[in-house]
Amino acid sequence: MGGPNLEVAKFGMYILFPIGIMYYFGTNLDGKFSVPDFWPRPEQTHRIPYEREEIKAELERLKARNLEMKRIREERERLEAIKEGRNS
């Protein structure tokens, strides 16, 4: 069996090991674990419109985009119908 020195050494290990792990992972986190350009910059994110004019402009933009997507979809469906009519 070990003596008191072994118990002191084990106790020291039990205390210092978690402290050492916390120190290693807790210091300089940005340098060790950061991924460059992980988060988008503010100019790359969506901005919520709060003013009446901004809201109207955003609604007009969305309506125009939806109409364009609808036009493209209808054109694609028309071309597919023509293609199916020829192949039949």
Side-chain angles (χ1 to χ4, degrees):
M1 289 280 164
N5 287 338
L6 179 61
E7 293 298 320
V8 170
K10 285 188 343 186
F11 183 73
M13 185 64 89
Y14 294 152
I15 296 297
L16 291 178
F17 184 74
I19 291 174
I21 294 294
M22 286 188 288
Y23 179 77
Y24 174 75
F25 287 104
T27 56
N28 195 15
L29 290 175
D30 290 334
K32 292 179 186 174
F33 303 109
S34 68
V35 177
D37 296 329
F38 180 76
W39 297 108
R41 291 185 297 279
E43 60 269 6
Q44 293 175 327
T45 60
H46 295 290
R47 220 172 105 304
I48 299 173
Y50 291 107
E51 301 298 322
R52 181 179 294 270
E53 294 80 23
E54 292 175 348
I55 293 171
K56 284 183 181 180
E58 185 68 16
L59 284 174
E60 291 300 320
R61 185 188 69 80
L62 290 173
K63 286 178 186 177
R65 187 186 74 180
N66 288 342
L67 284 174
E68 181 65 21
M69 295 301 290
K70 182 178 179 182
R71 187 192 62 78
I72 291 171
R73 186 176 59 248
E74 289 173 349
E75 180 70 21
R76 188 180 318 128
E77 290 172 357
R78 187 182 65 79
L79 290 174
E80 287 176 1
I82 292 172
K83 188 186 237 183
E84 288 175 4
R86 287 185 189 164
N87 291 338
S88 296

